[in-house]
Amino acid sequence: MPFDIAKETGTWKASGNSDNYGEILQKLGVPPDMLPKILEIEYSVEMTVSGDKFTYKLTEFGMTSDNTFTLGVESEEQDAWGSKRMVTYSLEGDSLVNTYPSVDGKGLHFRSARRFVDDNTIRTELKVGDMEGWSEAKRVV
């Protein structure tokens, strides 16, 4: 079953991750002192879908980013802290995939693919350079 983008709307809480998740986050530039907060993060998502376009509004740590993407088209994404990077979103099987050709501006390739394990659990497979891992989030009901 294909990934239902609108179904991601809701509030989510981190619920598990691979043993190397912290290393992956650090490779992505997350400072070590932020790791404990990310491992227990609760965040809110609003997805609005119209054809092959969707708006992804994410609120985390009291800050919000709001971006609109077209599936299969490279677009600029801005996070809540003002950092910008190029990304392409696509649907691949039962996953929503986002691919960053240079997530750090220096050529570091990052790909994540998220899929629903069930209606209230999202699993995200991550690949940063040659490192692979995963994280899961549960819907706060």
Side-chain angles (χ1 to χ4, degrees):
M1 165 158 72
F3 188 90
D4 181 353
I5 295 172
K7 185 175 161 182
E8 192 174 349
T9 295
T11 301
W12 299 87
K13 182 165 179 46
S15 63
N17 51 263
S18 59
D19 290 341
N20 66 343
Y21 186 60
E23 293 173 64
I24 289 171
L25 292 176
Q26 286 183 10
K27 194 166 187 172
L28 288 170
V30 175
D33 63 326
M34 284 293 293
L35 295 178
K37 294 175 185 175
I38 290 175
L39 296 176
E40 296 183 7
I41 189 171
E42 186 170 303
Y43 58 96
S44 177
V45 176
E46 283 181 48
M47 297 290 248
T48 307
V49 182
S50 178
D52 62 350
K53 289 187 178 196
F54 67 98
T55 299
Y56 185 65
K57 184 176 179 181
L58 173 66
T59 303
E60 58 186 350
F61 301 115
M63 301 178 78
T64 300
S65 61
D66 194 346
N67 294 280
T68 299
F69 304 102
T70 301
L71 292 171
V73 176
E74 187 175 51
S75 305
E76 185 175 73
E77 174 183 75
Q78 181 172 328
D79 64 28
W81 294 267
S83 296
K84 297 178 182 181
R85 66 199 60 79
M86 299 306 291
V87 62
T88 302
Y89 279 86
S90 58
L91 292 174
E92 296 180 16
D94 64 351
S95 298
L96 178 63
V97 176
N98 47 318
T99 305
Y100 300 84
S102 181
V103 71
D104 62 354
K106 300 174 187 171
L108 181 62
H109 187 267
F110 172 46
R111 180 183 193 274
S112 74
R114 55 188 185 267
R115 65 178 173 79
F116 286 96
V117 174
D118 57 42
D119 286 343
N120 295 311
T121 308
I122 291 180
R123 183 176 178 104
T124 304
E125 301 287 337
L126 306 162
K127 184 169 184 184
V128 181
D130 60 352
M131 292 183 74
E132 294 185 28
W134 59 270
S135 67
E136 282 189 354
K138 298 260 185 206
R139 188 183 304 272
V140 177
V141 188

